[in-house]
Amino acid sequence: MTVKITLLGHACLHIETPKLKFVTDPWLVGSAFCGGWQPALVPPDNWQATINDVDFIYISHNHNDHLNENTLAYIRKDIPMLIPNFQTKSVERPLRNLGFYNYIPLDFNVDHIAKDCVFRIYPSGDERDDSGLLMGYQNFKFLTSVDSNNLNNGWLPDNITVYASSFAGGASGYPLLFNNKTEQEKNKILKDNLLTLKNNVKATIEKTKAKYYLPYAGFNYIKNDYVRKTDILLDVKDYEDNKYQLLRSDLHNKWTFKTPTLECTASSIVRPKKHDKKKLHKTPQDTFSLKDTYKYFENSNFKKNLKLYLDVGLPEWHQIDYSLCINFENNRIERVEENYNALNIKDEKNPCLYLYVNCNAWKYMLENKRPIEDIFIGNACRIDRYPDSYDVDKDFWHHFSNIYTG
């Protein structure tokens, strides 16, 4: 008996046992994060038939490189979707908006049997809406934490056969998009974050006694020139260690495991040299969305002692189409003639957040009811906050990314 794992692209794994087939987080074609990311791996020619033939799809969370409208447009709407049962419905809502109706919210830490396999979904150990998946077949155990931090607060099974996780780092606009950080400060933060990521991965491998480690969910191309040239990322080979066997996802993309010996054979699928241009996403070019922006914030039902200064335009060209000030304490929205550069919000008594967003990305976010976090991760904005603390804006990002998306 065998278990086969195939890396179709980025975070999309196709996993097959003798009786069951499923895929994870399909982002294979089209851009992600409002045009800010492109998939680096070209999927095989038969990817549509492969995905539409599985028993179910597992969606770990609502980030656009895991729940992607451009790829899901090619997936049948009745396909079963196993999703984490977040209170915010942050995965269920966008699937419903895309026309999918056979989604199955699963509670955390509960065993679910499907044909010859057992599944369990774990929550991320922080406050974010993220999850990981445990799959068991005979004595084979597969565990992925995807992008989660401290999965299930560290309470994980041992004797894992394959542990998989994101590996590269850099999937955030912090600190590179923040105006109030020097380049030296940004560089130090990036290096510290990568060290933490690598240490956490190795700690999980050790805790779960994983035999193999599969790095994935790090194969993407960043559009923003500054971020692409400045960011620091880890490579697959950076995880070489004699304490476990590294599955070189940069060299191979298919692994076959025999049970009960758990021996692994690596091979590769054939990929086209280029993406199919017909399936590439194009960001809308309508740059003026003032009325839509007013409506977006008026209906948000977000109340907090926070002011948002919003400039919408083209940050890379220093062009501003319009500027707004949104006071979330009283839900007051004002159009201001002076943009942020002419204001001194450091003197404000209340906490303040400043966003200078790309107009095309903003328009796409509004039209497609995407989380505002897409703008941030897609590197389509510049940011300031006063005081400079995560406590100032964490509730803002959570609300407009998980609870309300328009």
Side-chain angles (χ1 to χ4, degrees), residues 293-332:
T293 301
Y294 267 96
K295 183 178 179 181
Y296 173 76
F297 286 113
E298 285 172 350
N299 296 333
S300 67
N301 198 31
F302 179 62
K303 193 168 183 63
K304 186 178 176 64
N305 180 24
L306 177 71
K307 276 188 178 181
L308 170 66
Y309 289 91
L310 177 71
D311 287 342
V312 178
L314 293 173
E316 60 272 30
W317 294 104
H318 305 287
Q319 170 191 322
I320 296 176
D321 293 341
Y322 58 87
S323 301
L324 297 177
C325 175
I326 300 97
N327 188 336
F328 291 112
E329 193 168 29
N330 55 22
N331 199 32
R332 185 176 180 181

Side-chain angles (χ1 to χ4, degrees), residues 15-45:
I15 301 179
E16 182 178 1
T17 69
K19 294 184 180 180
L20 185 77
K21 293 179 287 187
F22 70 97
V23 297
T24 67
D25 294 336
W27 174 45
L28 298 172
V29 296
S31 68
F33 300 115
C34 301
W37 289 23
Q38 294 289 344
L41 297 179
V42 180
D45 285 330

Side-chain angles (χ1 to χ4, degrees), residues 24-144:
T24 67
D25 294 336
W27 174 45
L28 298 172
V29 296
S31 68
F33 300 115
C34 301
W37 289 23
Q38 294 289 344
L41 297 179
V42 180
D45 285 330
N46 66 340
W47 71 267
Q48 287 178 245
T50 298
I51 294 181
N52 280 298
D53 187 48
V54 299
D55 293 282
F56 67 84
I57 297 173
Y58 162 65
I59 303 289
S60 61
H61 61 299
N62 73 349
H63 279 177
N64 210 204
D65 58 328
H66 300 264
L67 196 167
N68 184 269
E69 65 278 8
N70 299 302
T71 296
L72 291 175
Y74 298 93
I75 307 303
R76 56 187 176 90
K77 302 303 182 186
D78 66 335
I79 199 164
M81 297 270 194
L82 299 191
I83 63 174
N85 191 16
F86 296 126
Q87 290 184 350
T88 61
K89 309 300 181 186
S90 59
V91 175
E92 178 180 326
R93 189 185 311 108
L95 287 177
R96 187 170 61 246
N97 290 340
L98 292 172
F100 292 92
Y101 55 86
N102 198 8
Y103 46 81
I104 307 168
L106 298 182
D107 291 333
F108 296 117
N109 284 291
V110 176
D111 288 345
H112 305 274
I113 298 175
K115 294 186 177 179
D116 55 358
C117 296
V118 179
F119 295 89
R120 189 184 302 164
I121 292 182
Y122 292 124
S124 183
D126 52 18
E127 298 176 349
R128 299 180 307 119
D129 277 14
D130 208 336
S131 70
L133 179 72
L134 174 69
M135 165 260 185
Y137 167 76
Q138 294 186 1
N139 68 324
F140 177 91
K141 294 181 184 177
F142 170 80
L143 174 68
T144 175

